[in-house]
Amino acid sequence: MSQPTKQFKPFVAPESNMAELTVKSILVGSLFGVIFGAATVYLALKAGLTVSASIPIAVIAITLGRKFLKTTILENNIIQTTGSAGESIAAGVAFTLPGFLFLSAPDSASYFNYLTILILSIVGGLLGTLLMVPLRKALIVNEHDNLPYPEGTACGDVLKAGEKGGDFAKTAFWGLGVAFVYALLQKVLHVIAETPYYATQQINKFFPSAKVSGEITPEYLGVGYIIGPKIGGVLVAGGVLSWLVFIPLFSTLVPPDVIAAQLVKLGYLADVAVAGGKGGWDPVAHTFADYSSAIYYAYIRQIGAGTVAAGGIITLIKTIPTIVKSVKGSVASLKAESGGNAGSIARTERDLSLKVVGLGAVGLILLITVLPQVPGDSILQKLLIGILVILFGALFVTVSSRIVGLIGSSNNPISGMTIATVMGTSLIFLSVGWTGQSFEPLVLVVGGMICIAAANAGATSQDLKSGYIVGATPRNQQIALFVGAIVSSIVIGLTVKFLDKPSTEMLSQGINHAIGTEKYPAPQATLMATLIKGILSQNLDWQYVFAGVFLAVTMELCGIKSLSFAVGAYLPLATTLPIFLGGAIRGIVEMKQKKENVQVSAEEEELGKGNLFATGLVAGGAVAGVVIAFIAGSSGGEKFLAAVSQEHNLVQLLSENGYFVLGTLFFTAMAGILYKVATKK
């Protein structure tokens, strides 16, 4: 472990008494946590992806602070610290807790209620921050030169730039406005088609049941630009393999009745003699209205689940040296802390007491044990859950912090850590004879809280790095993170439940939950449920899962990061294609800069007009999606949206293909604006 960097001087001196943890900063930060938390839930359930909220929150905080709130740089840092907790907790919740809906235990769906989601969100969020307290000195301070914490460093630079002057927030607000108007045209008035597609017929001799589609939303375009052409290309490659290779192949080789029987086995079709289900089965004609959807749900999702599971575990295995180093560093840090003199500690080095960490961990175990909302039939079962959460949490919080220090929060393999937790917990349950459906929700609780804790630990690490750079008081940041975790959790649970509310059309088809449908696929949560059911019941379609496993191995042998490819193979091509187009625009912009010999540093790239505009697109599109989902959550709102929709009129006027072309032209125009903004000097 490297020695502390003695030459480092924070922007605000340790002896300064500048305003920091104020009511104003906590309230504004909590508001941002609520907004970005809700937006992240929406994006994670739709695409299985998230983007860091710290930088956009910092940008907006600076603008509001300068013009209206008169905040200091340390107050702005508290605002972004409090707000970022919402985004990370929302990601952990959306990636796991909807799995309650997909488990085979009869009562598992009943745990998908507001109180249970709220409790698990708060416990997981507090755990992620709590366990980072003893790690801060080891990872943020002592490893300052070795662990860059990209988002944290960029956020610190944003805060310093804002203090010095500059009006770069206009670009982010411009992107937000464009996205909001586009979303109103698309999701309220339906002037823009939501998912244009082109599909070949099953009877096509050359290329049967192939389907190219795109959910042409501003948030997907923005996400693609932020993650760039390389990751965007790997994502869409997985989608191309599933939808333009596997599906046409399966449609040629597998008879329709066999596909229907597989859908019945998986619960997507009531019976082979009953019409409906995924793909629109016709038992009289023995055909599907949509073969590509039928094959996707019957086979591709299981292959994709195997690919995602293997990709997550491979990513985790690669970090074993990091895990060992992190654990050793944490132990050394605790020993050094216990021998220190608390009275002489500078303001910029004051953390919450280790007593708070110890008592907090015991308190969380007791909460899990006694609260009736947490699954478990006995005190012993719940106590074991609490202990496993603390043990896995201590390991993966350390791992998460170290990983995001190297590669950033957006690349944090929390899915891999959660898969490892789920598999480890399932094996522990099997070893003590806890098998069968009744134990499935217990495993998901452990996995869910670890996912939330690991996600929040990654975001907390970035925030503490920002604070270290600007000269914040760590203790104040840690308190702000606790507040942000609790406030955001209150709204995250509400958002998840509202998004899960089925439309009238869904109810008429016997669908009681919007999550798990094409509207909100919740890919990671579905995967967690599949693994838990398979391991505890020992009744998984392992042939498809292992095909996916070795698909991930093949990608790794080709030098490609398998987790991104795996997510692409699992998700619909409609999701990954527009993301790829956003990444392609980023690639074209970078090619132009290279051709013109324009040198851009990492800091300038984070604060570049393209990145800020793309962030606005993500925030605007996602927030609009949440608002519209809330409107659609009431019968009056649903009737209003149906009344103002122009889709029927436009299809009659232009035909369905013409309607799709019109939507594509709007999306092209938005992509053109993004390119123009990104190349503007």
Side-chain angles (χ1 to χ4, degrees):
M1 189 172 67
S2 63
Q3 295 301 311
T5 308
K6 294 179 181 176
Q7 295 84 359
F8 178 78
K9 287 185 179 179
F11 187 77
V12 178
E15 54 273 14
S16 170
N17 289 319
M18 188 182 291
E20 185 173 7
L21 187 67
T22 59
V23 173
K24 179 169 53 178
S25 61
I26 286 289
L27 288 176
V28 176
S30 296
L31 176 63
F32 283 132
V34 165
I35 294 169
F36 280 89
T40 299
V41 168
Y42 175 81
L43 194 60
L45 289 175
K46 282 185 75 68
L49 297 166
T50 63
V51 291
S52 177
S54 294
I55 294 170
I57 291 174
V59 167
I60 298 167
I62 290 164
T63 306
L64 293 177
R66 188 185 304 133
K67 292 186 178 177
F68 306 108
L69 303 174
K70 308 302 178 189
T71 48
T72 66
I73 184 173
L74 297 187
E75 284 180 304
N76 287 334
N77 182 57
I78 290 293
I79 289 171
Q80 72 83 18
T81 296
T82 311
S84 69
E87 173 255 334
S88 57
I89 292 170
V93 169
F95 286 170
T96 54
L97 299 189
F100 282 124
L101 300 174
F102 315 128
L103 295 174
S104 49
D107 63 340
S108 64
S110 67
Y111 292 117
F112 194 65
N113 61 72
Y114 175 71
L115 271 179
T116 301
I117 295 169
L118 174 66
I119 290 164
L120 298 183
S121 301
I122 291 174
V123 171
L126 293 180
L127 183 67
T129 299
L130 204 61
L131 294 177
M132 268 306 299
V133 172
L135 293 173
R136 188 194 68 84
K137 191 172 181 183
L139 297 179
I140 309 298
V141 180
N142 293 357
E143 296 281 354
H144 178 61
D145 289 337
N146 301 323
L147 294 176
Y149 289 97
E151 289 97 341
T153 300
C155 200
D157 292 332
V158 168
L159 291 165
K160 289 195 293 183
E163 193 71 6
K164 293 174 182 175
D167 207 13
F168 45 75
K170 278 185 180 177
T171 309
F173 283 118
W174 169 228
L176 196 146
V178 168
F180 207 85
V181 171
Y182 185 100
L184 290 177
L185 288 172
Q186 183 179 51
K187 293 168 182 172
V188 176
L189 299 176
H190 290 278
V191 172
I192 303 170
E194 291 199 38
T195 314
Y197 69 88
Y198 173 77
T200 60
Q201 297 294 318
Q202 171 63 14
I203 57 174
N204 188 299
K205 189 187 292 185
F206 304 103
F207 204 34
S209 298
K211 189 175 185 180
V212 177
S213 57
E215 198 171 340
I216 49 174
T217 63
E219 56 267 32
Y220 286 172
L221 186 70
V223 166
Y225 189 92
I226 291 166
I227 66 176
K230 189 171 182 182
I231 298 175
V234 173
L235 268 172
V236 82
V240 168
L241 181 69
S242 290
W243 290 82
L244 300 180
V245 178
F246 285 159
I247 288 177
L249 188 62
F250 273 75
S251 73
T252 304
L253 299 175
V254 184
D257 293 274
V258 176
I259 298 171
Q262 177 67 9
L263 289 172
V264 171
K265 179 183 177 182
L266 296 173
Y268 293 125
L269 180 63
D271 191 271
V272 289
V274 178
K278 300 295 184 185
W281 170 244
D282 183 344
V284 178
H286 294 266
T287 59
F288 288 96
D290 184 352
Y291 271 85
S292 58
S293 290
I295 293 166
Y296 172 69
Y297 283 98
Y299 303 107
I300 304 305
R301 275 165 69 101
Q302 293 193 82
I303 295 171
T307 316
V308 173
I313 291 169
I314 289 167
T315 306
L316 199 58
I317 289 169
K318 286 180 174 181
T319 64
I320 285 176
T322 300
I323 295 170
V324 174
K325 188 176 180 181
S326 297
V327 172
K328 285 181 179 177
S330 302
V331 172
S333 174
L334 285 171
K335 287 179 180 177
E337 186 82 18
S338 61
N341 182 7
S344 61
I345 296 175
R347 178 186 62 81
T348 51
E349 288 299 323
R350 288 178 199 152
D351 291 283
L352 286 171
S353 167
L354 287 178
K355 290 179 183 176
V356 173
V357 178
L359 292 172
V362 172
L364 292 179
I365 292 175
L366 290 175
L367 270 177
I368 294 167
T369 305
V370 302
L371 287 175
Q373 288 79 15
V374 178
D377 295 328
S378 67
I379 294 292
L380 178 64
Q381 286 182 4
K382 291 189 175 186
L383 184 62
L384 180 60
I385 288 176
I387 293 168
L388 287 174
V389 166
I390 297 297
L391 291 177
F392 280 121
L395 172 63
F396 289 127
V397 161
T398 305
V399 172
S400 178
S401 179
R402 173 74 68 165
I403 290 173
V404 301
L406 292 168
I407 59 176
S409 295
S410 299
N411 300 310
N412 190 5
I414 56 171
S415 291
M417 299 178 210
T418 311
I419 290 165
T421 301
V422 162
M423 295 179 77
T425 305
S426 297
L427 293 172
I428 290 169
F429 280 19
L430 286 174
S431 68
V432 296
W434 291 1
T435 59
Q437 297 178 353
S438 61
F439 294 99
E440 291 174 1
L442 278 68
V443 178
L444 186 63
V445 165
V446 178
M449 280 193 276
I450 295 308
C451 187
I452 295 164
N456 198 36
T460 296
S461 301
Q462 303 290 1
D463 294 333
L464 292 172
K465 182 72 166 187
S466 302
Y468 184 62
I469 290 168
V470 301
T473 309
R475 180 177 174 276
N476 289 343
Q477 283 192 282
Q478 289 152 0
I479 292 169
L481 284 159
F482 288 146
V483 174
I486 294 167
V487 173
S488 302
S489 295
I490 293 169
V491 179
I492 286 166
L494 290 172
T495 306
V496 171
K497 291 301 293 178
F498 261 98
L499 295 181
D500 187 48
K501 193 169 183 179
S503 63
T504 306
E505 186 182 350
M506 288 178 184
L507 288 171
S508 68
Q509 297 170 3
I511 299 169
N512 297 315
H513 298 279
I515 294 175
T517 66
E518 290 91 341
K519 192 174 183 182
Y520 303 115
Q524 279 92 341
T526 311
L527 167 64
M528 301 308 164
T530 302
L531 285 173
I532 293 167
K533 288 188 292 184
I535 295 170
L536 289 183
S537 68
Q538 301 172 46
N539 188 31
L540 196 64
D541 284 326
W542 289 106
Q543 67 272 38
Y544 305 121
V545 174
F546 275 114
V549 167
F550 285 100
L551 180 58
V553 171
T554 303
M555 291 301 108
E556 289 289 338
L557 292 173
C558 292
I560 296 167
K561 290 182 178 178
S562 58
L563 193 54
S564 296
F565 182 89
V567 171
Y570 187 91
L571 288 170
L573 185 62
T575 299
T576 56
L577 187 56
I579 290 172
F580 166 70
L581 294 174
I585 293 170
R586 171 77 168 263
I588 294 167
V589 170
E590 288 174 350
M591 281 171 59
K592 186 181 179 188
Q593 288 173 341
K594 191 175 180 181
K595 190 176 179 182
E596 295 174 354
N597 203 25
V598 177
Q599 301 296 323
V600 182
S601 69
E603 292 171 21
E604 290 171 332
E605 197 170 317
E606 286 286 356
L607 296 176
K609 290 183 180 293
N611 248 26
L612 291 172
F613 187 83
T615 298
L617 289 180
V618 174
V623 169
V626 172
V627 171
I628 293 161
F630 269 77
I631 294 170
S634 64
S635 56
E638 198 174 345
K639 287 176 184 175
F640 167 75
L641 291 175
V644 299
S645 173
Q646 299 301 308
E647 181 176 354
H648 179 70
N649 296 334
L650 287 169
V651 169
Q652 277 195 325
L653 181 67
L654 303 172
S655 79
E656 186 176 61
N657 287 335
Y659 179 56
F660 288 165
V661 170
L662 177 66
T664 305
L665 290 174
F666 269 100
F667 186 75
T668 304
M670 183 169 58
I673 294 171
L674 173 58
Y675 174 78
K676 278 282 187 186
V677 171
T679 52
K680 195 174 180 182
K681 294 179 182 176

